[in-house]
């Protein structure tokens, strides 16, 4: 396929290296160049060929996938999650992989990692998977893919069976998905079109409820808070809050005294409906009522890539392998001095 300029060329830099979009998106031509075909030659005669007469029938043996290595994280976001049972989920190529929790086998005592843990695969996608999201129940997963008219699959991570396939709204590729609404009955999605489209679905019924164009800037992610119903889109120097009363309507987030930031992730504190944003400049922004209340600089001017909020407290992950943890007992509002800082390299070395 001919090379096309990257749709994110104006945004390239250290802060956006992990959020670039596949160069094929702009072309909408998803064929693969098969250069290896030029070097193929018929096999030379030998003992194996002599013992088996030529045949045009396919071989009886079929390869089976034993283990999928690596996660697509170089140009995709929201591509790793956990089930309610603590099983990692990740996207690689056109697969979504769920790693089984160990059952009766201790990893240290196993002959190798594969013997200690097994994988199972959701195989219904027809192109590269770009994003995943887990339902509040921790068992249902939504995943979106690349493609001219990309579908969204909603499936059960317990038995790997599809529950719904949502089509007809998006183009180029699905950049992000998020569950929300009462009981997680709604699914929000946004695509990679030059003018990104936000869609709201009743996924159980397979119904498209509403759509709206977000603007001209690339949308880097979605936040959908179940208890409050807050729906947020974010990206380069922009953040919008959405409501749906028959149609999707938005209002810009007000950064106030802080200059507009490129937002890379969001998380919600359910006490008081406070939202946290991680930025490309290493700041943690605290929002309430659609306005930025405070900015905390925590990651030495390096991007913040993930925020987790829950009964364990608040965990923020940033470039450089730094993890910041505010336990549930931490006083509000959050302060940089109250965070416990961990280095991922040290944690991995200690676990080895």
């Amino acid at each position: 396929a001919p090379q096309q300029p990257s749709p994110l060329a104006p945004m390239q830099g250290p802060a956006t290296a992990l959020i670039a979009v596949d160069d094929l998106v702009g072309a909408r031509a998803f064929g693969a160049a098969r250069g290896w075909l030029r070097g193929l030659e018929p096999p030379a005669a030998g003992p194996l060929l002599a013992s088996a007469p030529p045949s045009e029938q396919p071989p009886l043996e079929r390869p089976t996938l034993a283990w999928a290595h690596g996660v697509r994280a170089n140009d995709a976001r929201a591509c790793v999650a956990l089930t309610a049972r603590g099983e990692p989920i990740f996207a690689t190529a056109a697969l979504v992989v769920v790693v089984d929790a160990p059952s009766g086998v201790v990893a240290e005592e196993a002959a190798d990692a594969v013997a200690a843990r097994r994988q199972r695969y959701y195989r219904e996608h027809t192109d590269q998977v770009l994003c995943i999201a887990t339902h509040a129940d921790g068992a249902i997963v939504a995943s979106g893919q690349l493609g001219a008219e990309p579908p969204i699959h909603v499936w059960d991570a317990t038995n790997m069976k599809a529950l719904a396939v949502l089509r007809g709204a998006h183009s180029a590729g699905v950049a992000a998905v998020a569950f929300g609404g009462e009981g997680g009955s709604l699914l929000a999605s946004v695509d990679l079109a030059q003018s990104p489209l936000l869609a709201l679905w009743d996924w159980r019924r397979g119904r498209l409820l509403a759509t709206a164009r977000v603007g001209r800037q690339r949308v880097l992610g979605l936040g959908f808070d179940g208890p409050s119903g807050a729906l947020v889109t974010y990206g380069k120097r922009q953040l919008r809050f959405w409501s749906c009363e028959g149609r999707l309507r938005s209002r810009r987030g007000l950064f106030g005294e802080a200059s507009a930031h490129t937002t890379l992730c969001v998380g919600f504190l359910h006490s008081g409906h406070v939202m946290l944003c991680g930025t490309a400049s290493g700041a943690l922004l605290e929002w309430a009522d659609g306005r930025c209340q405070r900015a905390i600089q925590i990651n030495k001017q390096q991007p913040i890539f993930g925020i987790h909020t829950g009964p364990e407290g608040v965990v923020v992950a940033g470039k450089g392998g730094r993890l910041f943890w505010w336990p549930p007992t931490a006083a509000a509002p959050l302060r940089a001095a109250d965070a416990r800082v961990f280095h991922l390299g040290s944690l991995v070395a200690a676990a080895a």
Side-chain angles (χ1 to χ4, degrees), residues 9 16 39 51 68 77 81 84 99 116 119 153 157 171 177 218 227 232 237 250 270 301 343 345-346:
T16 57
S51 61
R77 300 188 53 75
V99 183
Q119 294 178 337
H153 291 245
S171 61
V177 289
R218 185 72 62 197
V232 181
R237 302 179 65 83
S250 72
H270 298 152
Q301 300 294 323
H343 291 272
S346 301

Side-chain angles (χ1 to χ4, degrees), residues 175-254:
V177 289
F179 287 101
E182 184 176 356
S185 60
L186 301 179
L187 182 75
S189 57
V190 67
D191 65 18
L192 294 173
Q194 291 191 359
S195 181
L197 182 79
L198 174 68
L200 189 64
W201 309 81
D202 180 343
W203 64 267
R204 288 192 173 94
R205 298 180 181 179
R207 292 177 52 199
L208 178 61
L209 301 178
T211 63
R213 295 290 176 183
V214 182
R216 301 292 295 181
Q217 292 281 4
R218 185 72 62 197
V219 176
L220 301 180
L222 292 170
F224 206 168
D225 183 41
S228 68
L231 174 59
V232 181
T233 59
Y234 54 86
K236 183 182 180 182
R237 302 179 65 83
Q238 52 100 1
L239 186 146
R240 289 177 177 269
F241 294 89
W242 295 83
S243 61
C244 185
E245 297 177 358
R247 57 179 294 187
L248 283 167
R249 300 179 182 272
S250 72
R251 56 190 175 93
R252 291 181 178 273
L254 301 177

Side-chain angles (χ1 to χ4, degrees), residues 98-185:
V98 181
V99 183
D100 290 351
S103 177
V105 180
V106 179
E108 291 81 356
E109 298 175 355
D112 53 39
V114 178
R117 307 188 80 167
R118 295 184 299 173
Q119 294 178 337
R120 55 189 191 272
Y121 311 104
Y122 184 76
R123 303 170 182 261
E124 301 304 315
H125 283 284
T126 57
D127 211 319
Q128 302 170 63
V129 179
L130 297 180
C131 58
I132 59 177
T134 53
H135 191 275
D137 68 4
I140 297 174
V141 180
S143 48
Q145 69 173 61
L146 196 68
E149 298 179 356
I152 300 167
H153 291 245
V154 183
W155 46 281
D156 191 327
T158 304
N159 57 24
M160 313 304 284
K161 300 295 184 182
L163 303 174
V165 180
L166 310 176
R167 305 177 185 273
H170 294 305
S171 61
V174 180
V177 289
F179 287 101
E182 184 176 356
S185 60

